[in-house]
Amino acid sequence: MTVSVRSETAYAVIDTTLRDHAEYRDFREGSMTRADYSRWVESRFDELRGLGLDRDKQNLSTRFPLDDHACVANALEALAGDGLVPGSDYAVDAFHEFAGRVAEEWDHGGRTTFIFPEEARLMFALAHQVRPRNSVFLGSYYGYWAVWALPAVAAAGGRVTLVDIDEGVMALAERNIAALGFSDVVDFVVADASEYARTLSDVDLCVLDAEGPLDAPDPDLRDKAIYYPHTRAISHALPPGALLVAHNVLLENLTENAYFAGRIANNKAQFAKWAAHLEEFYDVHRVIATSEGVGVYRRNGLPCAE
């Protein structure tokens, strides 16, 4: 089951634009294979661009799960099998209730989020399993992914720290989270994420969704390559067994999709230093093939000084 969200999400823009096409409906209903639908999308670039979807949004539709709950349930089962979470259940009815509140009350402030419905559900479910006491979101944008962890954090008596260098997005996150009644469990920090991470300790859940400028002079700070300095700065604060979760870990081509072949090659190049750091300091790695990919990693016992 997919829970709809307001039109300021990339998902809702894509879904609203494509739902009048029989091919999209057939794919989402399971009567057209993912591979066939992917080929249809790649053959309709000009037509879909004319409807307002760039190539990224067009092709992201080919990665949508057929059932968000099944996607998350399978992911939790795999994570539990890896020892990353204690079990594979989550409060499904509570998620639906909370998703309705977020859809109704969240003000996107004219911005667009690329957190997709199954990824929101996954964050809710992960937090339900982990019950983090001290979680940090580095590059939190305007809090739309972090919000899904808040019910479990509040229930566990924990705290969440949102860190972003942009004052505007942090102010928007603060207003939205206050409207949902979670201000008392969230700290809002406007700072460079790497610099702030060096001051932290005893973080049991760190979530990455930062993005550096494409023209940054330092290649380690460009686009998603920024995951390396951020992770290098925070790893000392994660005790053994703590989890690192990262969005945009899109490394698996679910079909022979030419667009994603190029994007995956770019991601692998950008993640080279980050991947080496993960290999050294995180002992279990699991990548979940959501719309944009989510990586989950467990901190090992090796000391790490930034």
Side-chain angles (χ1 to χ4, degrees):
M1 177 179 179
T2 294
V3 176
S4 296
V5 289
R6 287 170 60 183
S7 62
E8 292 86 349
T9 67
Y11 170 79
V13 171
I14 296 166
D15 182 67
T16 300
T17 303
L18 291 176
R19 67 176 59 158
D20 289 336
H21 288 77
E23 292 82 1
Y24 176 72
R25 295 195 305 272
D26 289 347
F27 163 58
R28 298 305 303 275
E29 293 166 3
S31 60
M32 185 177 192
T33 70
R34 188 179 301 276
D36 285 344
Y37 174 68
S38 180
R39 283 189 287 270
W40 177 82
V41 166
E42 290 200 279
S43 72
R44 294 295 192 279
F45 172 64
D46 290 337
E47 174 188 344
L48 298 179
R49 181 178 59 181
L51 296 175
L53 297 183
D54 60 21
R55 197 173 179 207
D56 189 50
K57 290 187 179 74
Q58 294 174 25
N59 284 283
L60 281 170
S61 74
T62 73
R63 294 182 60 91
F64 292 171
L66 301 187
D67 184 300
D68 291 350
H69 169 65
C71 173
V72 170
N74 290 338
L76 283 180
E77 190 171 325
L79 293 171
D82 289 337
L84 296 175
V85 296
S88 58
D89 67 318
Y90 70 100
V92 178
D93 290 342
F95 170 76
H96 291 156
E97 180 182 355
F98 186 60
R101 288 185 60 203
V102 173
E104 183 68 25
E105 299 179 30
W106 193 271
D107 175 17
H108 293 263
R111 300 174 185 270
T112 300
T113 177
F114 279 74
I115 299 299
F116 287 84
E118 80 281 7
E119 295 166 347
R121 187 186 290 256
L122 177 61
M123 181 55 63
F124 181 95
L126 274 173
H128 176 88
Q129 278 293 328
V130 175
R131 300 283 174 169
R133 302 283 300 181
N134 183 21
S135 53
V136 177
F137 285 70
L138 299 180
S140 58
Y141 195 33
Y142 60 102
Y144 187 80
W145 205 22
V147 72
W148 302 100
L150 296 185
V153 170
R159 296 198 66 78
V160 173
T161 301
L162 306 188
V163 186
D164 203 287
I165 202 168
D166 186 325
E167 292 184 14
V169 299
M170 192 59 70
L172 183 58
E174 192 164 359
R175 291 196 301 272
N176 278 308
I177 288 170
L180 289 165
F182 288 102
S183 292
D184 58 342
V185 300
V186 182
D187 296 311
F188 303 90
V189 177
V190 177
D192 175 272
S194 288
E195 292 180 6
Y196 187 78
R198 296 184 186 100
T199 71
L200 299 175
S201 62
D202 296 322
V203 174
D204 51 3
L205 174 66
C206 176
V207 182
L208 294 174
D209 196 19
E211 188 171 297
L214 295 176
D215 60 351
D218 183 348
D220 287 348
L221 302 180
R222 285 181 206 148
D223 199 18
K224 291 297 178 177
I226 204 168
Y227 280 8
Y228 168 61
H230 283 0
T231 304
R232 187 181 61 191
I234 194 75
S235 287
H236 77 96
L238 273 64
L243 296 185
L244 176 74
V245 177
H247 190 227
N248 295 117
V249 186
L250 200 162
L251 298 173
E252 180 183 0
N253 201 339
L254 301 182
T255 63
E256 295 181 2
N257 182 293
Y259 172 78
F260 284 121
R263 184 164 163 181
I264 289 167
N266 180 67
N267 288 351
K268 287 181 176 179
Q270 287 196 336
F271 288 157
K273 288 185 177 180
W274 183 56
H277 180 90
L278 293 174
E279 283 295 328
E280 184 172 1
F281 296 106
Y282 293 79
D283 58 7
V284 182
H285 303 187
R286 170 69 70 166
V287 176
I288 301 161
T290 62
S291 294
E292 290 216 288
V294 174
V296 185
Y297 311 92
R298 186 178 68 187
R299 183 73 167 90
N300 64 22
L302 291 178
C304 177
E306 201 279 321

